């Protein structure tokens, strides 16, 4: 499954104005290097808050975009309130009575909060200058975001099957699957689980984000939005993330901040989001450095005691743990 998040923000001081619809993203600046973090305090101590929007919001956190003004000086800042890094690809444009005095696009790794919905570290994205302080001003902020530390790499862990002892399911789509396992999902595995099958953690970790409110499924582009699919995201000790996707409505049985053990039930499988049939999608991933795509990793599962194998499409696997 692939998802893209775009938010458009606009603000006016002294005069109101409405946000315009999202537009296609501009390309990533080639000279930007990661990580890019500017934690210089904004001028809000002496200035005023002109705009605040919350976006990229799931159970476990959100991104908070704020615009502070001190005289004619304006700074666009953001805070990550998830207990996991988020890579943000952003662009500011459509300027009216304001101009940038720093780069107006880039990629930044947002540090994690100490706990789900924690305070988060304030990061300055851009500095702007209001041209005529007596008139209103406007700008638009567009972004894509992905969970995970782009520097994280697997440590060779052999994963358990993501369903409990006594159940056997076939792999509908394995690594490089023709239907949807390419790009961000290149090393994902889809197990042919009927709706409401218990889902267990394939590796110990800490839950960092959950969505359990989605309903319905389909294969049209609107179902590519991650808000349309239910999921549980588990942070592993090596910094990678275990993604359990397409869960049943209200099917998440864990909460952000909760530590889970291997084999612990965490959810019920379903058929939400970009999906043509009931199944459980599992993959090991982190954010790519572009902030737009995921970086998936190949992995092995322990198909029987002390015997590991890459999950193969069409193969049936019996859970033994």
């Amino acid at each position: 499954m692939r998802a893209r998040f775009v938010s458009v923000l606009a603000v006016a001081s002294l005069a109101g104005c409405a946000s315009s619809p999202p537009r296609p993203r501009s390309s990533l600046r080639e000279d930007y290097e990661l990580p890019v973090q500017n934690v210089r305090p904004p001028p809000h101590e002496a200035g005023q808050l002109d705009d605040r929007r919350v976006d990229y919001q799931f159970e476990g956190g959100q991104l908070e975009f704020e615009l502070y003004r001190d005289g004619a000086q304006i700074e666009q800042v953001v805070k990550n309130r998830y207990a996991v890094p988020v890579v943000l690809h952003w662009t500011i444009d459509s300027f009216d009575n304001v101009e940038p005095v720093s780069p107006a696009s880039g990629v930044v790794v947002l540090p994690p909060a100490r706990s789900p919905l924690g305070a988060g570290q304030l990061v300055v994205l851009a500095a702007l200058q209001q041209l005529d302080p007596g008139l209103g001003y406007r700008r638009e902020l567009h972004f894509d975001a992905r969970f995970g530390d782009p520097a994280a790499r697997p440590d060779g862990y052999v994963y358990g099957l993501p369903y409990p002892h006594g159940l056997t399911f076939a792999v509908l789509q394995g690594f490089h699957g023709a239907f949807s396992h390419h790009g961000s999902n290149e090393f994902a595995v889809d197990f042919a689980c009927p709706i409401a099958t218990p889902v267990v953690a394939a590796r110990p970790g800490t839950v960092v984000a959950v969505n359990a409110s989605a309903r319905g499924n389909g294969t049209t582009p609107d179902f590519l939005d991650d808000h349309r699919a239910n999921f549980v995201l588990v942070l592993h000790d090596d910094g990678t993330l275990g993604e359990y996707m397409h869960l049943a409505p209200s099917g998440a049985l864990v909460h952000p901040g909760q530590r889970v053990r291997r084999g612990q039930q965490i959810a019920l499988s379903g058929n939400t989001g970009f999906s043509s049939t009931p199944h459980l999608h599992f993959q090991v991933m982190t954010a790519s450095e572009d902030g737009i795509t995921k970086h998936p990793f190949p992995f092995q599962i322990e198909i029987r005691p002390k015997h590991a194998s890459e999950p193969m499409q069409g193969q049936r696997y019996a859970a033994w743990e």
Side-chain angles (χ1 to χ4, degrees):
M1 180 174 180
R2 180 178 59 84
R4 190 177 188 184
F5 296 85
V6 179
S7 178
V8 180
L9 287 72
V11 64
S13 60
L14 307 182
C17 65
S19 299
S20 62
R23 57 130 177 97
R25 290 300 312 266
S26 60
S27 60
L28 179 66
R29 288 180 356 111
E30 294 181 355
D31 60 338
Y32 238 93
E33 297 180 356
L34 287 177
V36 182
Q37 296 180 4
N38 180 358
V39 295
R40 178 169 53 89
H44 66 275
E45 301 249 348
Q48 71 176 46
L49 176 66
D50 273 357
D51 187 66
R52 181 179 186 274
R53 300 288 179 89
V54 173
D55 212 316
Y56 200 62
Q57 186 174 28
F58 298 102
E59 184 181 350
Q62 59 196 31
L63 298 183
E64 296 176 353
F65 297 90
E66 297 175 333
L67 198 68
Y68 288 99
R69 178 165 54 88
D70 182 9
Q73 298 179 7
I74 302 165
E75 285 189 334
Q76 177 70 65
V77 304
V78 62
K79 288 184 288 185
N80 171 23
R81 299 190 67 184
Y82 289 100
V84 62
V86 171
V87 181
L88 187 76
H89 177 196
W90 62 276
T91 300
I92 302 177
D93 60 14
S94 300
F95 300 103
D96 182 7
N97 194 35
V98 67
E99 64 182 10
V101 293
S102 67
S105 65
V107 181
V108 61
V109 180
L110 303 179
R114 292 182 179 272
S115 60
L117 281 173
Q121 185 177 17
L122 187 147
V123 175
V124 178
L125 295 181
L128 310 172
Q129 182 81 20
Q130 190 174 6
L131 301 179
D132 185 342
L135 298 176
Y137 69 97
R138 184 177 188 272
R139 62 85 181 86
E140 293 181 359
L141 170 64
H142 310 261
F143 77 92
D144 295 280
R146 287 294 183 191
F147 291 113
D149 180 354
R153 292 297 180 267
D155 61 3
Y157 186 88
V158 177
Y159 288 77
L161 286 161
Y163 44 87
H165 179 272
L167 298 181
T168 300
F169 297 112
V171 173
L172 284 177
Q173 190 177 194
F175 296 172
H176 320 294
F179 176 65
S180 62
H181 288 183
H182 41 78
S184 290
N185 299 311
E186 181 180 1
F187 297 110
V189 178
D190 291 342
F191 294 95
C193 302
I195 292 174
T197 297
V199 176
V200 305
R203 177 176 181 171
T206 301
V207 179
V208 291
V210 170
N211 191 36
S213 61
R215 295 181 179 275
N217 69 285
T219 56
T220 53
D222 54 309
F223 283 100
L224 293 171
D225 186 331
D226 273 356
H227 286 91
R228 302 297 301 272
N230 293 321
F231 64 84
V232 170
L233 203 63
V234 176
L235 178 63
H236 304 143
D237 290 343
D238 62 3
T240 64
L241 295 163
E243 181 181 66
Y244 304 79
M245 185 79 74
H246 307 301
L247 306 176
S250 303
L253 305 178
V254 291
H255 300 284
Q258 182 177 345
R259 182 75 183 179
V260 296
R261 66 184 184 280
R262 174 169 168 148
Q264 178 179 339
Q265 186 173 348
I266 60 174
L268 298 173
S269 70
N271 189 26
T272 55
F274 191 81
S275 173
S276 61
T277 190
H279 71 282
L280 171 63
H281 167 114
F282 174 73
Q283 71 173 338
V284 180
M285 44 74 68
T286 191
S288 294
E289 291 186 348
D290 60 10
I292 300 173
T293 58
K294 303 174 188 176
H295 186 159
F297 302 105
F299 61 92
Q300 291 188 319
I301 55 175
E302 195 167 5
I303 59 175
R304 57 181 181 271
K306 299 182 180 180
H307 189 91
S309 173
E310 176 184 303
M312 303 298 294
Q313 187 163 314
Q315 182 68 43
R316 292 174 60 83
Y317 294 102
W320 57 271
E321 296 183 69

